[in-house]
Amino acid sequence: MFNLRGKKAIITGGAQGLGFSMVEAFHQAGVEVAVIDISDNVESLAAKFNEKAAKVHGVKGNLLDMDSLQQSFQEALEKLEGKVDILINSAGLIKREPAFDVSLETWHRILGLNVTAVFELSRLAAAEMKKQGSGKIINMGSIVSVLGGYNAVAYSTSKGAILQLTKSLSNEWAAYGIQVNAIAPGYMLTTMNTDLMNDPVRAPQVEARIPAKRWGTPEDVAGVALFLAAPASDYVTGTLIPVDGGVLGR
């Protein structure tokens, strides 16, 4: 039920943070992975891994540019020899500032990467998955897919959209054997949250809000991603799974 050996995955934003942890986890599980990232480091990513488990390929691409996105997807698909079983949309942007201060440029960039790119990549992957009658699409939501955000209006809006996108795509594609789900990380120990962790006012408030009494780790998210990618979750679709130490249960 949990055997993923021999499967092929595309993971965006996999050069750092939660994405990198999922690349590590899927590599260890025997999945061949193509990583799409804007970082210059992505092309040398494979050197970090032991190919005895499975190959890891790096593809540099700008997901805010539709031409680059489509070219990156095709390159990743070619590296995986024309097959994709799993797509993980992990790339994302956040900028913390009051709503009055958010520029429209910032708004469009965050919505463009966090929502539009996810939609287009999901369609591209699903077209390939439909041919084989199976596939797993895993989106990165957030606890602010459900809760209201604070000083992060564009990010919160984008993650609310991800929840509805996940539900809508699951309704359309379940009949093709494609499961579409989302993960809702809580407060995670990643560079995206460095400013929050270092905030002398907000950090104690955050820690007091988490029933588990600790921040989450990228490994916490990777474990749920493995479940959603495995045959064990073949009848799970259209859902948002919190990985938040109990925050949404309060």
Side-chain angles (χ1 to χ4, degrees):
M1 293 178 71
F2 294 94
N3 183 15
L4 287 168
R5 192 165 300 280
K7 297 293 186 179
K8 301 186 182 226
I10 295 175
I11 301 178
T12 69
Q16 62 278 313
L18 298 180
F20 182 76
S21 179
M22 286 184 280
V23 173
E24 287 186 309
F26 278 74
H27 169 72
Q28 291 168 7
V31 178
E32 185 176 357
V33 180
V35 181
I36 301 176
D37 201 291
I38 198 170
S39 170
D40 291 332
N41 298 328
V42 71
E43 293 175 348
S44 60
L45 194 64
K48 298 178 182 291
F49 297 93
N50 180 354
E51 289 194 7
K52 289 182 181 178
K55 292 181 180 179
V56 175
H57 312 279
V59 177
K60 185 175 179 180
N62 179 4
L63 301 182
L64 282 168
D65 179 276
M66 280 299 112
D67 289 337
S68 178
L69 181 152
Q70 291 163 0
Q71 290 170 9
S72 298
F73 179 85
Q74 291 304 322
E75 183 179 343
L77 192 63
E78 288 171 10
K79 289 180 181 295
L80 297 176
E81 299 179 326
K83 184 179 182 185
V84 56
D85 301 294
I86 303 153
L87 170 68
I88 302 180
N89 288 303
S90 182
L93 279 174
I94 186 172
K95 186 174 183 181
R96 290 189 176 88
E97 58 185 345
F100 280 125
D101 298 334
V102 176
S103 69
L104 284 179
E105 180 185 3
T106 295
W107 175 271
H108 289 307
R109 279 179 57 81
I110 291 175
L111 270 291
L113 182 60
N114 294 7
V115 182
T116 306
V118 171
F119 173 56
E120 183 62 10
L121 284 165
S122 296
R123 289 201 298 181
L124 291 169
E128 300 302 321
M129 294 171 176
K130 183 180 176 181
K131 297 173 186 176
Q132 63 202 31
S134 64
K136 306 280 190 172
I137 298 175
I138 303 168
N139 297 324
M140 282 297 115
S142 167
I143 54 174
V144 296
S145 295
V146 180
L147 299 174
Y150 181 78
N151 282 351
V153 65
Y155 180 80
S156 300
T157 300
S158 74
K159 293 307 180 179
I162 283 297
L163 174 55
Q164 295 305 322
L165 177 64
T166 297
K167 291 178 180 180
S168 295
L169 296 183
S170 74
N171 289 337
E172 293 192 33
W173 296 345
Y176 304 133
I178 302 168
Q179 290 82 54
V180 187
N181 291 290
I183 298 174
Y187 298 103
M188 293 281 143
L189 294 172
T190 63
T191 54
M192 183 177 280
N193 287 325
T194 298
D195 56 345
L196 191 57
M197 288 184 279
N198 293 333
D199 188 317
V201 176
R202 292 291 312 284
Q205 293 172 344
V206 166
E207 290 161 9
R209 190 174 183 177
I210 305 172
K213 302 302 180 186
R214 70 171 177 87
W215 290 62
T217 68
E219 291 74 22
D220 292 323
V221 173
V224 176
L226 287 170
F227 163 70
L228 289 175
S233 64
D234 280 354
Y235 205 57
V236 178
T237 195
T239 193
L240 178 79
I241 300 182
V243 184
D244 64 355
V247 171
L248 291 183
R250 293 198 70 170

